[in-house]
Amino acid sequence: QVQLVESGGGLVQPGGSLKLSCAASGSIFSINAMGWYRQAPGKQRELVATVTSGGSTNYADSVKGRFTISRDNAKNTVYLQMNSLEPEDTAVYYCNAKVRPYQVVPTTLNCWGQGTQVTVSS
């Protein structure tokens, strides 16, 4: 099995910063891409940021200039540095990975972490 474990969430005041981490483990041959999604109460899960194994990044317009995604391929770990946090950033943040497992037939698994709560409030 492939496991994704997030950490780093918590309560922060507006304007503050948090850094999320997500480590992938298990029967992994390679990871094509990793990313972060979030879901606020009453809203659909939305893309926050993604990064490929080659380092290409993509950000939601709402977080551009404030959030930075990075990846340590050797550790199968993705990070999300969140600065200038706003109350609108409050959500459960989920780690996602496109994983190539050890299988006879090449395939890609879309894996999710358990989520970590980020609350931005004064």
Side-chain angles (χ1 to χ4, degrees):
Q1 293 191 29
V2 177
Q3 303 287 337
L4 301 179
V5 180
E6 302 105 328
S7 62
L11 174 65
V12 65
Q13 294 185 350
S17 298
L18 285 173
K19 187 174 183 178
L20 306 182
S21 299
C22 173
S25 62
S27 184
I28 298 171
F29 177 74
S30 65
I31 300 178
N32 181 58
M34 301 185 77
W36 292 94
Y37 293 72
R38 67 186 182 187
Q39 187 167 21
K43 298 180 67 177
Q44 298 289 337
R45 187 174 299 187
E46 64 177 353
L47 169 74
V48 177
T50 60
V51 59
T52 69
S53 60
S56 297
T57 59
N58 183 45
Y59 296 92
D61 289 341
S62 59
V63 306
K64 287 181 179 177
R66 301 188 298 120
F67 291 9
T68 302
I69 190 169
S70 60
R71 178 175 175 177
D72 186 335
N73 290 335
K75 297 181 179 180
N76 288 331
T77 299
V78 65
Y79 307 92
L80 185 68
Q81 178 66 52
M82 304 184 293
N83 299 325
S84 301
L85 283 162
E86 305 167 351
E88 292 74 20
D89 297 316
T90 296
V92 177
Y93 284 69
Y94 296 91
C95 179
N96 173 263
K98 304 295 191 295
V99 178
R100 297 280 189 177
Y102 283 110
Q103 289 187 358
V104 175
V105 179
T107 189
T108 300
L109 303 179
N110 190 31
C111 302
W112 293 92
Q114 81 286 352
T116 185
Q117 177 71 48
V118 172
T119 301
V120 185
S121 176
S122 60

